[in-house]
Amino acid sequence: MRKLTIAGFAMATVLTAGCASNQAAIDEANATANSAEQTAENALNTANSAASSARTAQQTAEEALAAAKAAQKSANEANERAKRMLERSSMK
């Protein structure tokens, strides 16, 4: 009877240790999954921020291009006026 009791305690200890190690593995897997989820969320936030910065940069570039075109148009008009003035002065 005593041997059966000791064997029972030994079996209970083994089962408990097995469950504990399974729980530890489950806890570790959950921690890893949570870490991966946080990393993915951080990556998404970074990507969204980069996309927003890219849109801002594109808008700024488009505004600069429009300003450069307007300046080019003004310069062309000024050159035409100067050319006409030179032609008139050379005729006199």
Side-chain angles (χ1 to χ4, degrees), residues 3 18 23 40-41 49 51:
K3 288 183 181 181
Q23 186 60 47
E41 185 177 340
S49 178

Side-chain angles (χ1 to χ4, degrees), residues 6 14 22-23 37 47 61:
I6 293 171
V14 168
N22 286 343
Q23 186 60 47
E37 183 180 10

Side-chain angles (χ1 to χ4, degrees), residues 56-73:
T56 301
Q58 181 180 6
Q59 182 178 355
T60 301
E62 288 170 356
E63 290 170 0
L65 180 59
K69 286 180 179 180
Q72 181 67 48
K73 182 178 177 186

Side-chain angles (χ1 to χ4, degrees), residues 1-66:
M1 181 74 172
R2 186 175 181 138
K3 288 183 181 181
L4 284 175
T5 304
I6 293 171
F9 281 130
M11 184 178 271
T13 302
V14 168
L15 288 174
T16 303
C19 290
S21 66
N22 286 343
Q23 186 60 47
I26 290 169
D27 291 345
E28 185 176 346
N30 282 335
T32 301
N34 289 337
S35 177
E37 183 180 10
Q38 184 62 49
T39 300
E41 185 177 340
N42 291 346
L44 180 60
N45 289 338
T46 301
N48 287 338
S49 178
S52 176
S53 295
R55 284 190 297 273
T56 301
Q58 181 180 6
Q59 182 178 355
T60 301
E62 288 170 356
E63 290 170 0
L65 180 59

